[in-house]
Amino acid sequence: MCLGVPGRIVARDGETGIVDFDGLRREACLSYTPEAGPGDYVIVHVGFAISVLDEDEALRTLAVLRAIPGGLDEISR
Amino acid sequence: MRYLDEYRDPVLARRLVREIRAAATRPWSIMEVCGGQTHTIVRQGIDELIPVRMVHGPGCPVCVTPLAIIDRALAIAARPEVIFTSFGDMLRVPGSGADLLSAKARGADVRVVYSPLDAVGLARTNPDRQVVFFAVGFETTAPANAMAVLRAAEEHLGNFSVLVSQVLVPPAMAAIMEVAAVDAFLAAGHVCAVMGWTEYEPLAARYRVPIVVTGFEPLDLLEGILMAVRQLQEGRFEVENQYARAVRRTGNTHAQEAVRRVFRVSDQTWRGIGEIPASGLVLAPEFARHDATLRFGVGDLGADEHPACIAGEILRGTRTPLDCPAYGDACTPRRPLGAPMVSAEGTCAAFHNAGRTRQERP
């Protein structure tokens, strides 16, 4: 129910924008993300952008995960 | 897809599983509150890979919408002047007699919308019909539902109303903390994208439980679990944010402001759990003309649950679907008795879709 999908804003006209989800483009209400513009990634839920995706934080999370030491790549159950 | 695929990397997932196994010296129990997270955990088998007991919480607005509200929806949808609009996942939720999909099959004008604003659009283009939107959801969905009401009010659309069943997560978490034996919680990432996590700080302190705001992809969940385990191992009880790419501490203040304008906090009945004080939202008095319950006079409808269903205990995390005598037998996703079997995010449906079966005792 609370599914939110990250997409990139390709155009903004006031309260409304076009958001690209990997090639699929949909209209979304951008009233709650006034700071977001073309090129920004937003999390869209039921047609509304609820959060601007922080790309630095996204990279930081991945860097933390990639820094976990590797080892045997098989998990024994 | 960017910002999704990176968080599904199986190599990193295996490393996280190893880290969790190495970190956990006790069989901690951790509750994920959100049904979307339950779905990922069960489908990916995450709970079967780690030495942690994952407890599945109330997690889905579809699952906790009271039977009486579904019956009100059915009564409204049956009226010839009504176009009844809803998110798709509410259509198969059984009321005491039927569901919205079967009402549609019998001729009711029931339509699935992608956004609440689509319902407002229908009211605009159908001035001779009454358009009702089923405003269901957690804090994630409340801003969208609020905006629909604000737009309808601005445009003086007298033929638009909402049937509200909005619930708030922190009061429910507090109610669960009172009864369930859970060591830590994963808070729902998109609820927190809207609300932030300040409401969880007093809960973590009062109940001495770690709370980790967590995303929805496999790596998010594994990292959230690892962060919770580390807190438990170190004896810390804090709110931490795993989902930093989408969630700030104070949330989305613009969205919160709209919710505050349109709704008021009220006591709320949760299906399977009962009434939880100050855990729901109702329309503010100034928007009463858009309240479908008042407009169609359906406030008196009540209903009883099926006696075989243990949904309440499942939603509170005190029992699992495998403890239910009806699970997989009298109750399946095709013929659900209770709400957790209806939505794909419901715990029972997640178990059933993952092929988990009840061990018959001799």
Side-chain angles (χ1 to χ4, degrees):
Chain A
M1 174 96 199
C2 294
L3 180 71
V5 183
R8 189 173 51 87
I9 298 175
V10 291
R12 175 164 192 152
D13 181 10
E15 305 275 284
T16 306
I18 302 295
V19 180
D20 181 290
F21 304 96
D22 234 17
L24 177 74
R25 294 188 171 195
R26 291 209 73 150
E27 196 174 89
C29 178
L30 304 179
S31 297
Y32 298 135
T33 53
E35 70 278 32
D40 288 330
Y41 277 80
V42 284
I43 303 243
V44 177
H45 168 70
V46 299
F48 283 72
I50 55 168
S51 175
V52 181
L53 213 133
D54 185 326
E55 300 194 50
D56 292 342
E57 287 289 358
L59 293 169
R60 192 171 310 147
T61 298
L62 286 169
V64 167
L65 296 178
R66 287 179 184 137
I68 296 172
L72 293 173
D73 273 342
E74 281 305 312
I75 288 173
S76 52
R77 289 193 171 213
Chain B
M1 192 156 156
R2 195 161 172 208
Y3 296 122
L4 287 182
D5 295 344
E6 307 93 315
Y7 299 92
R8 297 174 180 175
D9 181 336
V11 173
L12 296 184
R14 282 195 284 269
R15 291 182 192 175
L16 275 164
V17 167
R18 267 200 304 277
E19 287 288 304
I20 293 166
R21 288 180 175 185
T25 59
R26 288 173 50 186
W28 302 109
S29 59
I30 301 176
M31 177 181 276
E32 88 281 355
V33 173
C34 170
Q37 294 172 336
T38 301
H39 190 66
T40 300
I41 287 167
V42 175
R43 193 185 53 202
Q44 305 286 338
I46 286 172
D47 52 336
E48 295 177 328
L49 292 174
I50 54 176
V52 167
R53 187 172 75 99
M54 294 308 296
V55 183
H56 312 298
C60 156
V62 178
C63 298
V64 300
T65 297
L67 210 52
I69 304 261
I70 308 288
D71 285 355
R72 289 173 198 176
L74 289 161
I76 294 168
R79 298 171 70 111
E81 75 274 25
V82 167
I83 300 174
F84 194 89
T85 59
S86 170
F87 298 128
D89 39 12
M90 291 305 297
L91 262 59
R92 289 186 55 255
V93 183
S96 43
D99 59 30
L100 284 162
L101 206 57
S102 56
K104 183 178 172 74
R106 289 195 305 271
D109 192 346
V110 176
R111 306 187 195 183
V112 172
V113 291
Y114 161 68
S115 159
L117 295 182
D118 296 342
V120 177
L122 281 170
R124 206 180 288 128
T125 53
N126 293 273
D128 54 337
R129 302 283 301 277
Q130 285 289 332
V131 176
V132 180
F133 176 67
F134 203 171
V136 171
F138 285 159
E139 292 92 329
T140 319
T141 315
N145 293 345
M147 183 62 74
V149 173
L150 287 169
R151 290 269 173 95
E154 278 166 23
E155 296 180 38
H156 306 289
L157 291 172
N159 65 328
F160 177 82
S161 60
V162 286
L163 178 63
V164 179
S165 184
Q166 285 278 170
V167 288
L168 302 173
V169 171
M173 279 173 71
I176 289 164
M177 286 172 188
E178 294 283 354
V179 297
V182 176
D183 299 310
F185 284 81
L186 304 184
H190 290 145
V191 168
C192 295
V194 171
M195 297 306 294
W197 68 78
T198 53
E199 289 176 281
Y200 298 93
E201 288 165 346
L203 291 181
R206 186 186 325 146
Y207 293 97
R208 298 176 64 79
V209 288
I211 299 175
V212 182
V213 178
T214 304
F216 300 85
E217 298 308 314
L219 295 190
D220 290 322
L221 284 154
L222 286 164
E223 190 183 26
I225 292 164
L226 178 60
M227 289 164 78
V229 166
R230 283 182 174 156
Q231 281 204 54
L232 289 165
Q233 293 292 141
E234 295 164 15
R236 291 185 291 119
F237 309 107
E238 296 162 11
V239 182
E240 288 182 312
N241 182 21
Q242 180 278 330
Y243 199 31
R245 65 186 183 277
V247 179
R248 312 329 154 223
R249 181 170 178 272
T250 53
N252 183 325
T253 51
H254 303 285
Q256 291 165 26
E257 178 56 32
V259 171
R260 266 195 301 273
R261 272 187 67 192
V262 171
F263 295 111
R264 293 288 172 273
V265 174
S266 71
D267 297 347
Q268 173 80 18
T269 300
W270 291 55
R271 186 171 190 173
I273 294 179
E275 188 166 279
I276 302 175
S279 69
L281 296 172
V282 293
L283 279 179
E286 66 183 283
F287 297 103
R289 65 189 296 245
H290 297 290
D291 186 336
T293 301
L294 296 176
R295 174 167 300 184
F296 298 99
V298 292
D300 294 336
L301 289 178
D304 294 322
E305 292 287 353
H306 193 285
C309 174
I310 63 165
E313 290 164 281
I314 287 166
L315 293 169
R316 286 195 298 268
T318 52
R319 293 172 82 185
T320 83
L322 306 185
D323 299 322
C324 178
Y327 171 81
D329 179 18
C331 181
T332 65
R334 289 176 71 88
R335 287 183 301 104
L337 287 186
M341 190 59 98
V342 173
S343 159
E345 293 178 11
T347 303
C348 301
F351 270 56
H352 199 274
N353 294 339
R356 298 192 183 183
T357 52
R358 198 156 38 92
Q359 296 300 317
E360 292 296 348
R361 292 187 184 84

